[in-house]
Amino acid sequence: MALRGGTRFTVPFEAVFPHGAVFVPDSIAEAQDFNEATRQRTPSKDKVTGERVWQCRVMDMDPELGSRSREVSIKILSNVQPVPPVGPFQQVEFENLTVTPYVGSNGRLAYSFRATGIVAPKTLTETRGKAS
């Protein structure tokens, strides 16, 4: 069985960011598509849902990353601009997170992450309440 290019896999937030993620302030912007023929940019629309695409940056808090880049770009599908939790460098989580593996221009495996929302992290009491 072969996978088609662009296959999205639903993943738990904790599987991608087991040590959490911190929102980079002022990093939410509308994603843009570039049309080579007209040389114009237009707002991106998701090919599957048709919703507008926003992009934000977060820092992966995994201590094993050491001095390697911690910045990860997440695309958020929403017809209105997502609003992150208030305050600089706040921890965040993403709702309905998906990953799309692809081969990058350098020939290496890369990942594209999409979500439907950005929220404050769940507290331990909320998590424990759902486990009961």
Side-chain angles (χ1 to χ4, degrees):
M1 176 174 137
L3 295 175
R4 290 186 170 178
T7 301
R8 296 177 188 177
F9 299 94
T10 301
V11 291
F13 175 82
E14 299 79 19
V16 178
F17 299 103
H19 298 279
V22 173
F23 178 74
V24 175
D26 301 323
S27 70
I28 291 184
E30 188 170 32
Q32 299 283 308
D33 288 332
F34 182 72
N35 183 322
E36 288 285 340
T38 63
R39 314 267 319 145
Q40 292 184 342
R41 294 188 183 278
T42 56
S44 268
K45 297 260 183 172
D46 183 69
K47 291 177 178 122
V48 174
T49 66
E51 291 183 285
R52 290 169 63 184
V53 180
W54 303 84
Q55 209 160 324
C56 75
R57 299 185 329 263
V58 296
M59 302 298 282
D60 186 338
M61 298 311 293
D62 186 345
E64 291 183 19
L65 290 174
S67 63
R68 290 180 289 173
S69 176
R70 295 173 175 269
E71 194 169 295
V72 179
S73 177
I74 307 286
K75 293 178 181 169
I76 302 171
L77 311 180
S78 175
N79 285 323
V80 296
Q81 182 172 348
V83 178
V86 178
F89 298 103
Q90 292 292 313
Q91 284 209 326
V92 295
E93 290 185 3
F94 294 94
E95 297 175 319
N96 304 311
L97 189 62
T98 65
V99 61
T100 305
Y102 66 96
V103 177
S105 58
N106 60 2
R108 292 184 151 171
L109 181 62
Y111 303 96
S112 174
F113 296 100
R114 284 181 166 72
T116 59
I118 183 170
V119 295
K122 298 174 186 76
T123 63
L124 282 175
T125 52
E126 287 178 79
T127 306
R128 285 187 191 136
K130 290 182 180 179
S132 301

